[in-house]
Amino acid sequence: MELNDRLDKFEKLVSNEHSNFLSKLEYYRANKKWINQSSKVAINVLEALKQKGLSQKDLAKKMNVSAQQVNKILKGQQNLTLETISKLESALEISLIEIIDLKADQKIVNISNTKERIKLSLKQMEKAMPGVRQQVAVYEKNKTLNTQKNHH
C-alpha cells in the first residue's frame, strides 16, 4: 500500500468533530479513587445478584429505585451515597463497606495503655520484691522473738 493510499484511509478515519477524550481523562484522574471503589461495589453487587438468582429489576424493586438507577450502579461509574450503599446492603443482605467506629478503637487503645501500665507496675514490683521479702523476713523474725519473750 502506497503512502498516498494510507493517508487517504487515515483522513477517512479522522473526524472533524472535537474529541472530549482529554476532558474525560482529566475527570477520571480527579475522581479515580471513588470510581475504583464504585467499580468494586458493582462487582460485589453483580456477584450477589448471581448468587441469589436475582435480576436487576428485582434489585430495583427491593431498593425502591428505578431499573435505570440499578443499571448505573452496576456500571460502576456512579458516585454512590451512603444511603444507596445501605439500600444495596439491605436488599442483598451483604456488607459492602465497613465504617470504623473510632470509639471502639479508642477503647482498644485504652485497654492497651492499661495493660502497659499493669506490666510496668508488675516490673516495678518485681524489682522491689527482694527488699520487701527481706523486710517481711525481718518482721517475721522480730514477731517470733517477741512472742518467745512474752511466753518466758
Side-chain angles (χ1 to χ4, degrees), residues 106-121:
Q106 187 61 40
K107 288 177 186 174
I108 290 168
V109 168
N110 287 340
I111 290 169
S112 295
N113 288 341
T114 302
K115 284 181 181 177
E116 289 303 314
R117 279 185 258 152
I118 290 170
K119 285 179 186 175
L120 182 60
S121 296

Side-chain angles (χ1 to χ4, degrees), residues 54-72:
L54 296 173
S55 69
Q56 290 182 27
K57 285 184 181 181
D58 296 331
L59 179 59
K61 286 178 188 173
K62 285 183 164 218
M63 292 178 61
N64 198 24
V65 298
S66 69
Q68 291 83 2
Q69 172 74 12
V70 169
N71 190 295
K72 287 179 184 178

Side-chain angles (χ1 to χ4, degrees), residues 30-41:
N31 298 284
K32 183 178 180 178
K33 183 153 176 82
W34 74 255
I35 290 172
N36 287 339
Q37 298 292 53
S38 184
S39 295
K40 290 175 188 176
V41 167

Side-chain angles (χ1 to χ4, degrees), residues 82-143:
L82 290 174
E83 178 184 12
T84 302
I85 291 169
S86 293
K87 285 181 178 182
L88 285 165
E89 290 177 329
S90 295
L92 296 171
E93 299 172 338
I94 61 172
S95 180
L96 293 169
I97 63 170
E98 181 180 349
I99 301 200
I100 298 169
D101 183 358
L102 291 178
K103 288 182 182 176
D105 282 355
Q106 187 61 40
K107 288 177 186 174
I108 290 168
V109 168
N110 287 340
I111 290 169
S112 295
N113 288 341
T114 302
K115 284 181 181 177
E116 289 303 314
R117 279 185 258 152
I118 290 170
K119 285 179 186 175
L120 182 60
S121 296
L122 288 173
K123 285 180 183 177
Q124 290 169 339
M125 287 172 57
E126 286 171 0
K127 285 180 182 177
M129 282 309 282
V132 170
R133 285 188 187 125
Q134 186 178 13
Q135 288 176 353
V136 169
V138 169
Y139 172 80
E140 291 293 327
K141 184 177 179 182
N142 288 338
K143 185 177 171 185

